[in-house]
Amino acid sequence: MATAAFDPGGLTARLTLEAPLESPDGQGGANRTWSAVASLWARIEPVTALAGEEAGGGRVTITHAIWMRHRGDVSSGMRLVKGGRVFVVETAHDPDESGRYLLCRCREEGR
């Protein structure tokens, strides 16, 4: 299998990887908070922007491909944060199975 043609100098975005923490809310549900796991360098590539309607209002869903150095602790449900921007990890995989990079498909929240 060919290795991913990727310039590591393109990892210019500083992101914080966060994992969800859930605690009981006393009423049978849970409160979700976020805990920082790591600070890392990544490359953010916009992929799609889809306009839709939700509850009578407009909503845009933006997806991104986020590249980073390989980590074994990234999974769907985690999120990456850059300033006020939040990217929810939907999938994470090694694109060429070389153990060098990790490609996360993410959905940006709040846009």
Side-chain angles (χ1 to χ4, degrees), residues 25-44:
D25 67 359
Q27 298 178 7
N31 291 321
R32 177 177 282 183
T33 58
W34 295 91
S35 172
V37 173
S39 183
L40 51 90
W41 291 100
R43 176 177 161 184
I44 303 171

Side-chain angles (χ1 to χ4, degrees), residues 9-110:
L11 303 175
T12 58
R14 192 66 171 169
L15 303 176
T16 302
L17 176 64
E18 295 182 341
L21 294 175
E22 293 189 357
S23 59
D25 67 359
Q27 298 178 7
N31 291 321
R32 177 177 282 183
T33 58
W34 295 91
S35 172
V37 173
S39 183
L40 51 90
W41 291 100
R43 176 177 161 184
I44 303 171
E45 298 174 358
V47 177
T48 62
L50 302 171
E53 190 171 321
E54 185 176 296
R59 176 148 178 98
V60 176
T61 301
I62 303 172
T63 61
H64 300 274
I66 299 182
W67 292 78
M68 65 185 75
R69 294 201 183 277
H70 190 272
R71 302 179 57 92
D73 61 346
V74 180
S75 62
S76 62
M78 296 178 91
R79 69 185 194 177
L80 295 158
V81 179
K82 179 183 181 193
R85 297 175 73 186
V86 177
F87 306 94
V88 177
V89 177
E90 294 185 343
T91 64
H93 72 281
D94 184 347
D96 60 5
E97 298 181 0
S98 66
R100 298 179 312 146
Y101 300 106
L102 190 66
L103 174 58
C104 297
R105 301 289 179 182
C106 300
R107 174 182 36 84
E108 187 168 3
E109 286 189 337

